[in-house]
């Protein structure tokens, strides 16, 4: 079903202006009553689009995503759109950016495809899917573009659905965020993109989501997914921002898809499952790099430690936890801990899925991940 595609630049649009414990537990019950909370709608009021936002959005052209086999335009992409216009202190950091893909099937002019020509996102039916990459808060080789194989598969699936009637995807986005220093990063010297410490990562994620929402994306019922530490960040994004000393209001997603996620760092470091004990020092190193030396901060930052998920995330309906049993970096016990925690403290509908392969295979290949995400958003129709 998933065909191989290539992404090429067809036209450049005008540019305006500047230019948690790791000990194993066995499974968890699936809570049934997700429906009642859905009535509580999100109250975050979205500020309108500022001139700076519009300039930031327009500073990156749309490029077309073309199906290699049929030559058909599947959709449109903007790469590295600055979401905090000007960046921190006006420095325009390259990791405070996001990538966006729109299915052509949902945009005006699908018959004779033209890039969307609007100061903000076109309004489309369907749901938004947003992705937060992993890499232990520090890996320089993993970024928003790591989601490309999955995004392209999603556009392909959207095109197939269009021919049958309705498209469940309104748009797709993948977030960059500032990283913590990596011991082996080749750039050397100081890089303000790589000096982040908690809560900088989650602050950027919330900033990126707020920007996307000011543009009209990812509102209503939408899906937030994250891989590894990106899954940690996805759950942090629906926790009260005041926990992180922040006040960035977002419309929270209704669904989270956590992939090979880290949910209980403190638990892992204190007592890793025996087969993963050799990774304890590595976990401690990247945890200190991301959160500092205070162990209470590690614990408080872990989503498996929120005591009441119902009040924490009132808009929440569904959580999909996908984890591979062959993951050489993250033990299955992390999923079990998170699932048990969520089912104990919420009425969320929780699904457990097999991700398959090693830790990073799911996003490197993209087909299985697209299938999971497509299946979940289709269920939201
Ligand atoms: N490649 C990463 C390691 C990494 O990503 C990782 C290692 C162990 C458990 C989870 C990991 N990633 C989570 O985002 C690094 O270079 O630090």
């Amino acid at each position: 079903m998933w065909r191989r595609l290539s992404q090429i630049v067809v036209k450049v649009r005008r540019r305006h202006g500047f230019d948690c414990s790791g000990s194993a537990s066995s499974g968890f019950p699936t809570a049934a009553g997700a429906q009642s909370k859905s009535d509580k709608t999100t109250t975050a009021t979205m500020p309108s689009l500022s001139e700076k936002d519009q300039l930031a959005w327009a500073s990156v052209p749309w490029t077309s995503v073309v199906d290699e086999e049929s030559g058909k335009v599947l959709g449109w992409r903007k790469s590295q759109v600055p979401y905090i216009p000007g960046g921190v202190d006006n420095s325009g950091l390259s990791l405070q950016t996001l990538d966006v893909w729109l299915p052509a099937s949902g945009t005006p002019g699908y018959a004779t495809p033209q890039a969307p020509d609007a100061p903000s996102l076109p309004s489309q039916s369907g749901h938004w899917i947003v992705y937060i990459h992993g890499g232990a808060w520090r890996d320089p080789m993993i970024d928003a573009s790591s989601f490309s194989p999955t995004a392209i598969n999603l556009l392909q699936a959207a095109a197939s659905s269009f021919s049958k009637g309705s498209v469940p995807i309104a748009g797709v986005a993948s977030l960059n965020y500032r990283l913590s220093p990596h011991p082996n990063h080749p750039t050397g010297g100081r890089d303000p993109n790589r000096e982040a410490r908690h809560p900088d990562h989650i602050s950027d994620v919330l900033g990126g989501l707020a920007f996307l929402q000011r543009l009209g994306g990812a509102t209503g019922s939408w899906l937030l997914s994250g891989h590894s530490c990106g899954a940690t960040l996805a759950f942090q994004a629906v926790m009260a921002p005041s926990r992180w000393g922040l006040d960035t209001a977002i419309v929270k997603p209704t669904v989270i898809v956590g992939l090979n996620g880290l949910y209980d760092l403190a638990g892992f470091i204190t007592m890793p499952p025996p087969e993963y004990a050799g990774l304890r020092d590595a976990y401690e190193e990247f945890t200190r790099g991301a959160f500092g030396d205070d162990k209470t901060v590690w614990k408080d930052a872990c989503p498996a430690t929120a005591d009441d998920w119902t009040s924490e995330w009132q808009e929440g309906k569904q959580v999909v936890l996908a984890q591979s049993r062959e993951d050489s970096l993250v033990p299955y016990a992390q999923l079990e801990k998170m699932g048990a925690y969520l089912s104990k403290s919420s009425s969320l509908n929780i699904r457990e899925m097999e991700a398959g392969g090693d830790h990073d295979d799911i996003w490197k290949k993209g087909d299985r991940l697209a299938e999971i995400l497509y299946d979940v958003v289709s269920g939201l129709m």
Side-chain angles (χ1 to χ4, degrees):
M1 170 185 184
W2 312 100
R3 272 185 283 159
R4 216 173 147 261
L5 305 160
S6 71
Q7 187 170 17
I8 58 163
V9 177
V10 170
K11 59 171 79 169
V12 175
R13 209 164 81 80
R14 70 197 144 91
R15 294 170 81 97
H16 302 268
F18 62 88
D19 267 322
C20 314
S21 120
S23 58
S25 63
S26 56
F28 48 84
T30 299
Q35 69 296 353
S36 56
K37 292 182 289 84
S38 61
D39 300 329
K40 294 181 188 169
T41 36
T42 305
T43 47
T45 21
M46 286 302 120
S48 56
L49 206 59
S50 71
E51 198 179 326
K52 274 188 169 179
D53 286 335
Q54 291 185 43
L55 288 170
W57 180 243
S59 70
V60 177
W62 288 107
T63 58
S64 57
V65 182
V66 175
D67 186 319
E68 222 171 45
E69 283 173 29
S70 65
K72 197 166 180 170
V73 174
L74 295 174
W76 309 99
R77 179 183 187 177
K78 279 183 189 247
S79 273
Q80 295 192 291
V81 181
Y83 57 66
I84 299 179
V88 166
D89 302 331
N90 245 10
S91 55
L93 294 179
S94 59
L95 289 182
Q96 291 177 311
T97 57
L98 53 77
D99 289 9
V100 175
W101 292 260
L102 293 179
S105 48
T107 55
Y110 182 56
T112 50
Q114 281 177 345
D117 183 17
S120 61
L121 284 161
S123 72
Q124 312 198 73
S125 59
H127 308 272
W128 274 80
I129 295 173
V130 182
Y131 179 77
I132 308 171
H133 70 79
W137 292 274
R138 65 181 196 176
D139 192 330
M141 305 308 289
I142 303 177
D143 64 14
S145 72
S146 307
F147 195 60
S148 287
T150 310
I152 292 168
N153 274 304
L154 287 169
L155 295 185
Q156 174 65 62
S160 304
S161 300
F162 182 72
S163 54
K164 295 183 208 112
S166 62
V167 179
I169 300 176
V172 175
S174 178
L175 302 175
N176 278 311
Y177 50 91
R178 283 170 293 162
L179 299 177
S180 297
H182 194 286
N184 308 319
H185 189 244
T187 55
R190 295 195 61 190
D191 178 354
N193 277 296
R194 295 173 199 287
E195 290 172 352
R197 172 159 293 180
H198 177 75
D200 295 341
H201 321 95
I202 183 63
S203 171
D204 283 357
V205 164
L206 293 172
L209 292 172
F211 174 75
L212 188 63
Q213 294 182 340
R214 291 197 298 276
L215 285 156
T219 55
S221 176
W222 64 282
L223 182 159
L224 182 59
S225 62
H227 175 258
S228 201
C229 74
T232 322
L233 286 160
F235 282 98
Q236 287 176 340
V238 298
M239 293 164 81
S242 56
R243 281 178 177 269
W244 328 119
L246 304 170
D247 61 3
T248 316
I250 60 157
V251 178
K252 293 183 182 181
T254 50
V255 184
I256 290 181
V257 179
L259 307 149
N260 296 341
L262 295 172
Y263 306 116
D264 183 9
L265 291 166
F268 182 99
I269 292 165
T270 312
M271 204 206 309
E275 324 82 80
Y276 292 82
L279 288 169
R280 209 201 72 90
D281 290 352
Y283 268 68
E284 182 159 349
E285 185 190 61
F286 70 66
T287 301
R288 284 185 193 277
F291 296 94
D293 296 330
D294 183 347
K295 294 185 180 172
T296 58
V297 176
W298 307 357
K299 194 165 177 295
D300 293 346
C302 283
T305 60
D307 4 274
D308 178 1
W309 270 98
T310 300
S311 61
E312 199 79 33
W313 179 27
Q314 296 180 6
E315 305 76 357
K317 291 185 186 167
Q318 193 185 354
V319 169
V320 178
L321 298 173
Q323 169 71 43
S324 173
R325 294 198 184 264
E326 293 141 47
D327 190 327
S328 60
L329 297 179
V330 175
Y332 210 88
Q334 288 283 310
L335 173 149
E336 290 167 333
K337 179 77 193 278
M338 189 65 195
Y341 225 95
L342 288 170
S343 53
K344 191 176 75 182
S345 67
S346 77
S347 55
L348 286 158
N349 176 4
I350 304 164
R351 275 169 75 186
E352 179 178 347
M353 293 176 89
E354 172 60 38
D358 203 353
H359 187 62
D360 291 327
D361 286 347
I362 191 150
W363 58 262
K364 282 188 174 160
K365 294 183 180 151
D367 50 356
R368 170 81 177 133
L369 181 47
E371 258 174 334
I372 292 174
L373 297 173
Y374 204 79
D375 182 56
V376 176
V377 282
S378 299
L380 299 177
M381 292 294 269

